[in-house]
Every structure is written in C-alpha cells, then in structure tokens.
Amino acid sequence: MANGLVDGTNYNLRDEIKAYWSERASTFDLSPGHEIFSEKERAAWHDLISRHLGRGEGRAALDLACGTAVVSHLLDDLGFAVTGMDWAEPMLKCARSKAASRGRDITFRLGDAENTMEPDSHYDVITNRHLVWTLVDPPAAFAEWYRILKPGGQLLIVDGDFVNLSLKEQIVTKLSTFFQRLGFASAETAKMSPQLVEIHQNILARVHFSRGARAGAVADLLINAGFESVRIDSNLRRIFRAQAKHLGFWKGVARITQHRYAIVATKGGTSLR
C-alpha cells in the first residue's frame, strides 16, 4: 500500500477497483454529481426513479455499489425498504454515519455487486448508479442481478460513457481551458490528485467497458441475461440542469452533452408480492 492505494503487487483488477473507491470515500460527497446539493436536484431524481420503478410501498430494494448511500436515501424517500451494498468499507462507514444523522432506517451490507451472496428471488427492485462502467464481468453481474430479483422485479441502471467525448463536449472542454488560461473563468471544481487520476485511468483501461459503456451495448447484455422490457432513457436533462449551478458553467454544459442514461429492465414472470 502507498498512501492508502495499492501499488499493484499481488492485487488483481478487482482489488485495485476496491482500493480506489475506498480512497475516494472521504471526499466523495464533496463532488456535485455524487451527493445532491439542492432540493431541485433531489426532486429530479425522485421523478426519474418514480417514473421507472413507481412508488416504493414497502417493496424491497437493493442499491448496489451504494457508496455513501445517495441513491439509497432517494429510494427511502419514496417508500422502499432499502438495503445498500458496497464492497468498500470506508464508503459504508460514511453511508452508515449519514443515515444515522438523518434518522433513516436503511440496512447496509459489505458485499460484492458482481457476487452478492443474496438469496434467489429476494428483491423487488435493484438499483445502481455509475457502477456498470466499472464492472469486470458484466454478463456474470447481470446474471447475478437477475437471479436475486423476484419474478416481475425491476432493475434500474444509471450510467454513462465516460471514455468517448462527443464533438460538443470536446468543444466545451477546449473553450473551458481557453477561458481559464485567459483568466476569465476559474476551475469549476476541485480535481483529484494526479496519483488518483492515474489510477482511475489505469483501471478504466482494463475494465470490460474500457471503450465506453454505451447504452445499447449494456441493453444487449441485459437481454442476453434474460431481462425483458429493456428500455433506455437518455433524457436526464432535468437532473443535469439542477446540478449545473454547483458544477460550474463549463462542466454543467459538458455534462448535458455526455452520453449518460438510465436503463430499466424487468425479470420475467409474475411478481411474488
């Protein structure tokens, strides 16, 4: 270990991913786009979740790779009985502390999103945000999520292609850099250390979606895993507009141009509920 990060010796890719997110835990909630900084954004997330999953009504929801439990809290707001799972203990420590401070009744478990060890047909809903792009073996992960969903259960993925920049995003990035150099714009948000950036890029180059997690490719893998009624929702603009105030002008504009999406899919069969 060096400064809390693995140096690669005797560690495989999955260990490196776990160590990376463990290191990010202490500052994770400081970043717009991770934590929620306005009620306007919270309402936009509520709308997205309700639109695809409906109201909770006590249904069992598993928030995979829950991190500091941002999505877990949104699900709890909507009346789901929430379990948050993450394999980075520092993330779970933050999640438990946040839930306690807000008086939330959310269960947290240390576990691997690709091998949950949960019972068959146990959850009504599974959610995850910005997990799929990090998966080492998406087909196996999707088969696992299918297994632990009840018949008729739903999966909601929120993710994006963080590798390929659209032409608009390239232009926005160049303009942002140009105006910063002229002194007409400041850096929008605090940046990761060069060491963390290097580790992030090294991990990204070796995961399954190293060339970018495009929505169509993710949807195809879900269908291959047995999911039905797979739908892609690319209209996340309400969320991005709410985030823009805290992201800063240029990063806010760039976010709207990115290939980000929600995917909802259903396990076939009649609900056990």
Side-chain angles (χ1 to χ4, degrees):
M1 300 288 287
N3 296 322
L5 298 174
V6 295
D7 61 10
T9 305
N10 294 326
Y11 278 80
N12 61 25
L13 176 56
R14 292 165 61 79
D15 293 321
E16 292 178 50
I17 294 171
K18 182 176 182 178
Y20 171 78
W21 288 113
S22 294
E23 186 71 13
R24 292 288 307 276
S26 62
T27 59
F28 189 82
D29 280 347
L30 300 179
S31 300
H34 290 169
E35 180 57 282
I36 294 172
F37 288 86
S38 72
E39 291 307 309
K40 185 176 180 181
E41 182 185 351
R42 192 178 312 280
W45 279 107
H46 285 159
D47 178 69
L48 175 72
I49 295 170
S50 297
R51 187 164 71 245
H52 293 301
L53 301 179
R55 300 293 298 183
E57 299 179 340
R59 289 183 292 155
L62 176 63
D63 183 24
L64 287 172
C66 68
T68 62
V70 176
V71 174
S72 299
H73 282 250
L74 293 169
L75 292 166
D76 185 64
D77 291 341
L78 295 173
F80 289 91
V82 187
T83 297
M85 179 179 290
D86 204 285
W87 66 350
E89 183 59 46
M91 284 287 189
L92 286 180
K93 182 178 180 181
C94 293
R96 292 186 179 107
S97 176
K98 185 192 298 184
S101 69
R102 296 180 181 177
R104 301 301 186 99
D105 184 18
I106 300 173
T107 299
F108 293 104
R109 293 180 186 167
L110 183 67
D112 181 356
E114 297 192 44
N115 182 25
T116 67
M117 308 294 287
E118 294 292 289
D120 292 351
S121 304
H122 190 67
Y123 290 98
D124 297 288
V125 163
I126 294 175
T127 61
N128 55 76
R129 183 181 68 163
H130 302 167
L131 164 65
V132 167
W133 75 267
T134 73
L135 293 175
V136 176
D137 189 351
F142 295 166
E144 170 73 353
W145 303 350
Y146 186 91
R147 179 185 68 79
I148 64 176
L149 271 175
K150 296 177 182 179
Q154 294 174 289
L155 167 68
L156 177 63
I157 291 170
V158 178
D159 225 288
D161 178 357
F162 306 120
V163 176
N164 301 293
L165 302 184
S166 67
L167 178 59
K168 289 182 179 179
E169 189 178 357
Q170 292 177 47
I171 293 171
V172 168
T173 299
K174 289 179 180 179
L175 286 172
S176 174
T177 301
F178 174 72
F179 282 111
Q180 285 178 33
R181 287 175 178 173
L182 291 179
F184 294 119
S186 58
E188 309 295 355
T189 57
K191 295 182 178 180
M192 290 189 295
S193 69
Q195 182 188 22
L196 278 174
V197 170
E198 181 181 357
I199 292 171
H200 177 273
Q201 292 301 320
N202 184 274
I203 289 172
L204 182 56
R206 291 181 290 148
V207 294
H208 179 92
F209 290 113
S210 60
R211 297 183 180 180
R214 306 298 291 184
V218 175
D220 287 344
L221 289 176
L222 290 171
I223 292 170
N224 290 342
F227 284 96
E228 302 175 0
S229 303
V230 179
R231 305 188 307 278
I232 298 170
D233 180 359
S234 299
N235 184 14
L236 307 185
R237 285 179 174 267
R238 184 180 171 195
I239 293 171
F240 300 153
R241 284 196 297 267
Q243 292 174 344
K245 178 180 178 181
H246 303 279
L247 286 168
F249 177 77
W250 292 109
K251 193 167 184 179
V253 172
R255 178 146 304 190
I256 294 174
T257 69
Q258 292 172 338
H259 180 71
R260 292 175 179 248
Y261 50 82
I263 300 178
V264 62
T266 302
K267 178 175 179 176
T270 303
S271 174
L272 297 178
R273 190 171 186 271

